[in-house]
Amino acid sequence: MDLNARWAEAQSFLEMGGPSIWAIAALSVLTLALILWKVWRLVLMGAWAGRTTERAVDLWTNGQTTAARDLLIHRRSIRAVVARTAIIARLNGTFNATDLREEVERVAQRQLSRARSGLRALELIATIAPLLGLLGTVLGMIAAFQTLQEAGSRADPAALAGGIWEALLTTAAGMAVAIPASVALTWFESVANRAQTDMEDAATRILTRDAPGTNPVLAAAE
């Protein structure tokens, strides 16, 4: 019974807001789904896993090339994928300096693209949700003042005030959706930027420091 009452209240709220509030409600569901999906995807990508990659790079710079490769061979985190690509390419010696850098950059860009997927949708939601709220408010205010004009001198100030606060509901609802979307967007971007910095650091250390037994192609190129 309590659930039915809450559902009735939600329906009443949506009806008061008009078409804009329905669009905002749909965006709120989409925003929640996007945030949960993005967190799950970043966890699967190992966006917060970097210690193993750091250990592998330390092994590489200390001359333990095989141990560094083996430590990353089965790792799937975005940092590990880039570092493993650089290590294997150096050990194989099949790339010159330019091709080696381009190959590592290609893999890094692909991993970053995966890490940033879905962020444009969150950015769009954070932009249009307040605009939808403002649109609903403007339409509601127009309707309220049309009613006031039709009533003439018999206008009830209480009814007018009720129409205005109902119109303002859409602005509040739009902001309530946009704020979490904007916060999540900033957080996800910071995670991707941190991963990018770590990948660049690991790749640079691997590509510019020759370990014993590796192809000194970069040093020769310089």
Side-chain angles (χ1 to χ4, degrees):
M1 186 64 180
D2 184 61
L3 183 60
N4 292 333
R6 291 183 179 275
W7 174 245
E9 290 178 1
Q11 284 184 315
S12 176
F13 174 77
L14 293 174
E15 290 173 357
M16 284 190 299
S20 294
I21 202 70
W22 285 96
I24 293 171
L27 284 180
S28 68
V29 175
L30 180 59
T31 301
L32 179 60
L34 274 173
I35 292 174
L36 294 177
W37 170 79
K38 193 61 187 175
V39 170
W40 173 74
R41 185 173 177 83
L42 289 174
V43 169
L44 291 182
M45 293 178 63
W48 292 279
R51 294 183 179 179
T52 301
T53 302
E54 183 66 24
R55 289 200 303 270
V57 175
D58 289 338
L59 290 173
W60 173 269
T61 56
N62 290 328
Q64 303 180 49
T65 58
T66 303
R69 180 196 61 191
D70 293 343
L71 187 60
L72 297 176
I73 200 67
H74 297 299
R75 296 287 177 174
R76 297 183 178 180
S77 70
I78 55 179
R79 295 172 178 84
V81 169
V82 174
R84 182 173 66 242
T85 299
I87 288 175
I88 292 177
R90 290 295 310 272
L91 292 176
N92 290 343
T94 56
F95 294 96
N96 58 37
T98 302
D99 292 342
L100 180 56
R101 283 193 174 96
E102 288 182 354
E103 174 64 13
V104 174
E105 183 178 354
R106 180 189 68 83
V107 174
Q109 289 295 335
R110 185 173 182 179
Q111 295 300 315
L112 285 173
S113 178
R114 292 175 57 207
R116 292 192 169 107
S117 62
L119 297 189
R120 293 296 297 273
L122 277 176
E123 183 180 4
L124 180 61
I125 291 172
T127 301
I128 67 173
L131 295 179
L132 283 173
L134 182 60
L135 175 62
T137 297
V138 171
L139 294 176
M141 294 289 287
I142 291 173
F145 281 108
Q146 282 180 337
T147 302
L148 178 63
Q149 182 183 18
E150 293 173 359
S153 60
R154 302 187 306 276
D156 184 1
L160 178 61
I164 292 175
W165 78 258
E166 288 178 4
L168 291 174
L169 284 176
T170 58
T171 297
M175 294 176 65
V177 173
I179 291 173
S182 181
V183 171
L185 174 63
T186 302
W187 179 43
F188 292 141
E189 285 181 340
S190 68
V191 171
N193 291 338
R194 175 64 183 273
Q196 179 179 0
T197 300
D198 292 344
M199 286 189 291
E200 290 175 350
D201 178 74
T204 300
R205 291 170 64 188
I206 293 169
L207 297 180
T208 59
R209 299 185 185 181
D210 288 321
T214 60
N215 180 22
V217 60
L218 297 184
E222 296 176 355

